[in-house]
Amino acid sequence: MFLINYIKEVAAAIGSLLKGMRRTGYYFTHHKEIITQQYPDNRDHLNLPERFKGEVVMPHNEANEHRCTGCTACELACPNGTIKVITKFDITPEGKKKKAIDKLVYHLELCTLCNLCIEACPSDAIKMAQTFEHSVFDRSQLTKILNNPDSKIMDGVE
Amino acid sequence: MGIEFSDIIFYLLAFMMIGFAVLSVTTRQLFRAAIYLLFSLVSVAGIYFWMEANFVAAVQIIVYVGGIVVVIIFSILLTQQAGAEMPKPSLSKKLWSFLAAGSGLGILLLQILKLQLGTVNAKGALFDVKAIGRELIDIDTHGWALPFEVVSMLLLASMIGCIVIALKPGAIIKHEMKES
Amino acid sequence: MSLSSLAQQIHLWLLGHMSEQWTLVLEMIIAGILVISFFAVLGLVLVYMERKVSAWMQIRLGPNRVGPKGLLQSFADTLKLLIKEGLTPDGADKFLFNIAPIGAIMVSMLLMAPIPFAKDFQMWDINIGVLYVSAVSSLSVISILVAGWSSNNKYSLLGAMRSGAQIVSYELSAGMAIMTIVILSGSLSLTEIIQSQQNGWWLFKGHVPVIIAFVIYIIAVTAETNRAPFDMAEAESELTAGFHTEYSGMKFALFFLAEYVNVFIVCAIGAILFLGGWMPLHIGEWTAFNHIMDYIPSSIWFMGKTFGLIFLIMWFRWTFPRLRVDQLLKLEWNYLLPISMINVVLVTALAILGWYFK
């Protein structure tokens, strides 16, 4: 009984080792699998993965409209105070007051790109962009206002 | 031009052997003493190689170097100051050890001089591995079969003992419990 | 022109110009220079090979900036090591600290002597080649122990002690694996062992027991040369660099070189014992095939087999994770040693009964 277990154990060990060697051997012979990006050389045709997170942006459509309602969910979700939502009150055509954003201030220098704000956003107003060349000469340039000047909220987004 | 190159090599090895042996007993650091002893023993192996007694030389290295490794490991593990300078030995200690070593040397020299060694010119032939092997398992008067078998049984027993201790199921289970 | 005839011509030319004694001295010097330059080339090639192999196995590119395909990367690294300062730490045993790397490289040089690089081309045709190699290779642990202890560093000492336990125990099963071939070929001389494989390599002639011995040999020598998955002696993530933590510059380079040369040597010995050294591949009665194989020079056969084994050991290194100390000792005493002991008995029976292919 002991002997059978012993032999089984050895055989299983060799089997699992060979399995590992087959995988690395496959990678060794298939150079197409190489994932290294030779960055400054292939800058024009960078092949970034879909989930790559560079910075938070707010997409606008052609009519300079965004989807942000100014609910401050992102501000509350941010663990280190990267986002600051400054709200204002618009007067709707019906004469009602309506809450909207004045500025969405985003401190890139504080951001850890944790993606929590994007997950917290109820109206999908912000998303992660794939840009990553962020170096600037002045720290103040890293504080960005995400909404374009004179932009409006899109119709139908509450 | 009486000196041949092989003589130079012999004297070089001999001086290395004696020099390192002297250093090994005079140094007051334990670790260095072990290393000097190693150099001395390797020089002995070198002299065997010089004599073309390759088998003896290889055995010298295997046996003594293995021994030195154990000495080093123990000198580090079991003494806390393997590198520290030991206190100077007292005069009486020095005297007695000198006397003991000297008398040993005296007896050896006496015997060697009594033997009146002649020059033997049988390089290599005496140290043929096959001849040594045959001698070792020879059961005739000059054979070494019994001691060889006794020693090999002892070594085999110790090796199997190691394996049995390592394979002991209780030990493994205890070990794995500790791991988890 | 083969390497052996070249050596013969140099020998004759030297004999014609000077006395026998000076010829011997000059030949020794030539051999020494050749060995040192071979070491240098080997170090450059193996480091480049290791980096490329590791990169490709980890889906990376590897060195590709210095020179075409990064071929000059090793030269650049060597240049850097040469001009770096060789520090000796305070509180270290200076004499032993400085002598340890020299000892390591000397052992590698001694091991180079009996290896036949091609047909009739070896420095020292010693009649106990295999025993000599296993004896001298056990010296390498001393330089590691000395280096680890004299650095006056806890990491170094731990690495050295680990390496001591490891080498002492794995030498046993490596010796047993070597013994199987000695039993089958009936000789300790490397030349005779190669001659015994004229009609087929032992790996093919010797059935399962020799294959088991080959596997055990490869595992044991991987451990003896302190390479991953058995690199606890220099485990970067646990002991920074183990026994050579405190070494820098050329002294570090000597340790590094000795490690790679040792890998080459154990692979060369493995190729000689199990794969027939410089013997070309012959298959039974296929005379045409055998003739074609004979046209390939013996040195290329030897180097090809050796580098094949080196590649295998590199493959191990970049596939398997590092073992823990207790797992390492368990592997040796629970698995390798019992199996190799039974294997030796099996091979002895095989040799006595003549059940191997002749």
Side-chain angles (χ1 to χ4, degrees):
Chain A
M1 201 56 221
F2 171 75
L3 205 65
I4 295 167
N5 278 339
Y6 186 84
I7 292 167
K8 263 187 194 163
E9 220 174 302
V10 172
I14 291 173
S16 75
L17 291 180
L18 285 179
K19 205 172 167 187
M21 283 177 72
R22 214 178 67 191
R23 175 81 333 213
T24 42
Y26 173 81
Y27 285 143
F28 182 76
T29 47
H30 292 70
H31 291 185
K32 271 182 197 160
E33 300 266 351
I34 288 174
I35 50 170
T36 308
Q37 306 260 338
Q38 305 196 54
Y39 160 56
D41 290 352
N42 69 346
R43 203 174 161 195
D44 302 328
H45 41 89
L46 256 180
N47 184 19
L48 286 173
E50 209 177 292
R51 291 189 294 172
F52 181 85
K53 293 181 289 199
E55 65 173 325
V56 177
V57 292
M58 184 182 287
H60 289 67
N61 66 2
E62 308 83 47
N64 203 13
E65 288 171 337
H66 55 74
R67 296 174 63 88
C68 181
T69 56
C71 68
T72 70
C74 50
E75 186 179 342
L76 292 170
C78 186
N80 46 355
T82 302
I83 297 175
K84 188 91 193 141
V85 184
I86 299 168
T87 50
K88 61 176 181 185
F89 287 96
D90 274 350
I91 312 293
T92 52
E94 294 96 58
K96 274 187 193 166
K97 270 186 175 179
K98 194 186 170 197
K99 197 176 168 191
I101 52 166
D102 185 20
K103 284 169 185 172
L104 199 145
V105 185
Y106 169 59
H107 293 273
L108 182 55
E109 74 268 32
L110 292 177
C111 185
T112 60
L113 305 170
C114 66
N115 212 34
L116 283 174
C117 51
I118 279 104
E119 278 172 18
C121 185
S123 53
D124 292 333
I126 47 177
K127 66 166 194 172
M128 278 288 177
Q130 302 221 317
T131 48
F132 60 95
E133 290 161 322
H134 293 314
S135 48
V136 286
F137 285 103
D138 190 356
R139 189 171 51 179
S140 62
Q141 282 171 275
L142 289 171
T143 307
K144 299 181 179 183
I145 295 160
L146 291 187
N147 55 327
N148 290 352
D150 299 327
S151 62
K152 277 198 195 77
I153 186 160
M154 227 177 267
D155 281 337
V157 179
E158 286 301 323
Chain B
M1 280 298 286
I3 303 166
E4 286 195 24
F5 287 107
S6 94
D7 289 342
I8 297 173
I9 293 171
F10 172 78
Y11 284 115
L12 208 71
L13 284 170
F15 277 118
M16 263 171 70
M17 187 175 94
I18 296 169
F20 281 122
V22 169
L23 271 176
S24 163
V25 286
T26 50
T27 187
R28 300 221 305 279
Q29 282 162 296
L30 201 54
F31 192 84
R32 278 198 183 191
I35 294 298
Y36 289 141
L37 184 63
L38 167 81
F39 286 158
S40 179
L41 291 170
V42 169
S43 312
V44 175
I47 285 185
Y48 286 143
F49 275 126
W50 178 82
M51 295 196 297
E52 292 182 26
N54 296 333
F55 183 77
V56 187
V59 170
Q60 164 90 9
I61 292 178
I62 289 178
V63 172
Y64 286 102
V65 169
I68 289 288
V69 171
V70 175
V71 165
I72 288 176
I73 289 175
F74 275 88
S75 85
I76 297 167
L77 273 184
L78 298 184
T79 65
Q80 271 140 26
Q81 294 126 355
E85 295 247 319
M86 304 259 247
K88 267 192 177 165
S90 64
L91 194 70
S92 67
K93 232 184 204 170
K94 265 187 194 169
L95 209 72
W96 278 113
S97 45
F98 191 77
L99 212 71
S103 57
L105 182 72
I107 292 167
L108 271 179
L109 272 181
L110 217 70
Q111 290 298 318
I112 288 167
L113 291 176
K114 214 193 256 175
L115 263 178
Q116 301 235 321
L117 296 168
T119 49
V120 180
N121 209 352
K123 270 191 175 179
L126 271 176
F127 307 109
D128 182 33
V129 191
K130 281 200 170 120
I132 290 173
R134 293 231 170 78
E135 193 87 338
L136 274 179
I137 50 168
D138 197 2
I139 47 170
D140 289 335
T141 33
H142 295 295
W144 299 89
L146 184 66
F148 178 75
E149 284 304 317
V150 168
V151 169
S152 41
M153 280 310 285
L154 184 73
L155 290 177
L156 187 68
S158 66
M159 207 140 70
I160 290 177
C162 280
I163 293 169
V164 167
I165 290 171
L167 272 179
K168 213 168 156 192
I172 293 169
I173 288 165
K174 222 188 255 169
H175 206 85
E176 261 149 23
M177 272 169 71
K178 225 185 270 168
E179 273 167 25
S180 55
Chain C
M1 188 151 75
S2 67
L3 284 170
S4 61
S5 68
L6 191 70
Q8 194 64 30
Q9 272 176 18
I10 291 172
H11 178 70
L12 288 177
W13 186 82
L14 284 173
L15 267 183
H17 283 75
M18 54 192 74
S19 70
E20 210 170 308
Q21 227 168 66
W22 282 107
T23 307
L24 193 67
V25 171
L26 215 67
E27 278 173 358
M28 277 180 179
I29 291 169
I30 292 171
I33 290 170
L34 280 181
V35 166
I36 290 170
S37 39
F38 183 65
F39 268 35
V41 173
L42 203 61
L44 294 176
V45 169
L46 284 180
V47 170
Y48 178 73
M49 182 176 160
E50 172 116 85
R51 293 183 63 175
K52 268 300 190 199
V53 167
S54 74
W56 285 340
M57 284 189 177
Q58 297 171 341
I59 342 180
R60 292 184 288 116
L61 284 166
N64 64 346
R65 296 281 140 172
V66 190
K69 301 244 166 207
L71 273 167
L72 298 176
Q73 182 68 52
S74 318
F75 284 99
D77 290 343
T78 316
L79 197 69
K80 182 205 77 175
L81 283 171
L82 275 168
I83 56 177
K84 252 180 109 172
E85 186 187 1
L87 280 171
T88 308
D90 242 11
D93 192 327
K94 299 225 163 47
F95 172 66
L96 292 179
F97 184 82
N98 288 319
I99 215 166
I102 301 170
I105 207 84
M106 260 165 69
V107 169
S108 309
M109 278 190 181
L110 283 172
L111 284 171
M112 206 59 112
I115 291 175
F117 289 95
K119 197 174 185 221
D120 302 323
F121 187 74
Q122 81 193 99
M123 269 173 266
W124 188 20
D125 188 6
I126 182 171
N127 58 350
I128 50 151
V130 175
L131 189 65
Y132 172 86
V133 168
S134 51
V136 173
S137 66
S138 68
L139 279 168
S140 65
V141 65
I142 297 276
S143 59
I144 291 176
L145 277 174
V146 169
W149 183 81
S150 65
S151 299
N152 192 26
N153 178 321
K154 286 191 180 68
Y155 288 132
S156 302
L157 185 59
L158 269 176
M161 298 304 288
R162 283 181 182 191
S163 145
Q166 180 180 331
I167 292 180
V168 166
S169 42
Y170 275 78
E171 233 164 39
L172 273 175
S173 38
M176 291 263 187
I178 290 173
M179 216 195 282
T180 56
I181 298 302
V182 173
I183 289 167
L184 280 172
S185 61
S187 173
L188 286 169
S189 155
L190 291 176
T191 323
E192 277 177 44
I193 287 173
I194 293 173
Q195 288 296 344
S196 71
Q197 303 180 60
Q198 198 157 22
N199 52 353
W201 305 345
W202 279 123
L203 195 63
F204 304 138
K205 280 205 293 183
H207 297 302
V208 182
V210 175
I211 294 171
I212 294 174
F214 180 67
V215 172
I216 287 173
Y217 177 82
I218 291 291
I219 295 172
V221 297
T222 312
E224 264 195 76
T225 46
N226 282 327
R227 283 178 64 82
F230 304 104
D231 65 339
M232 284 103 59
E234 46 198 273
E236 291 90 345
S237 45
E238 301 162 25
L239 301 175
T240 60
F243 65 91
H244 54 61
T245 302
E246 294 287 354
Y247 284 90
S248 61
M250 218 42 222
K251 282 180 251 171
F252 166 74
L254 283 183
F255 269 124
F256 205 57
L257 189 60
E259 183 190 323
Y260 278 104
V261 172
N262 282 338
V263 170
F264 175 81
I265 287 164
V266 295
C267 289
I269 298 291
I272 289 164
L273 293 177
F274 297 96
L275 303 175
W278 45 258
M279 268 301 168
L281 177 68
H282 281 179
I283 297 175
E285 301 296 315
W286 301 10
T287 30
F289 177 80
N290 292 351
H291 273 298
I292 294 168
M293 288 290 141
D294 283 339
Y295 274 113
I296 301 172
S298 55
S299 51
I300 290 182
W301 274 109
F302 175 79
M303 283 294 167
K305 288 169 190 175
T306 307
F307 272 86
L309 287 183
I310 290 172
F311 174 72
L312 191 64
I313 282 186
M314 284 181 181
W315 197 350
F316 286 164
R317 172 163 183 178
W318 298 108
T319 304
F320 304 140
R322 184 184 305 131
L323 274 74
R324 269 197 328 256
V325 179
D326 65 306
Q327 288 169 336
L328 174 100
L329 293 177
K330 196 174 150 195
L331 174 69
E332 164 66 14
W333 293 99
N334 278 10
Y335 297 99
L336 291 189
L337 193 60
I339 291 173
S340 55
M341 275 171 85
I342 292 164
N343 200 38
V344 165
V345 176
L346 271 179
V347 166
T348 316
L350 213 73
I352 292 170
L353 297 170
W355 279 359
Y356 55 90
F357 298 110
K358 278 172 204 149

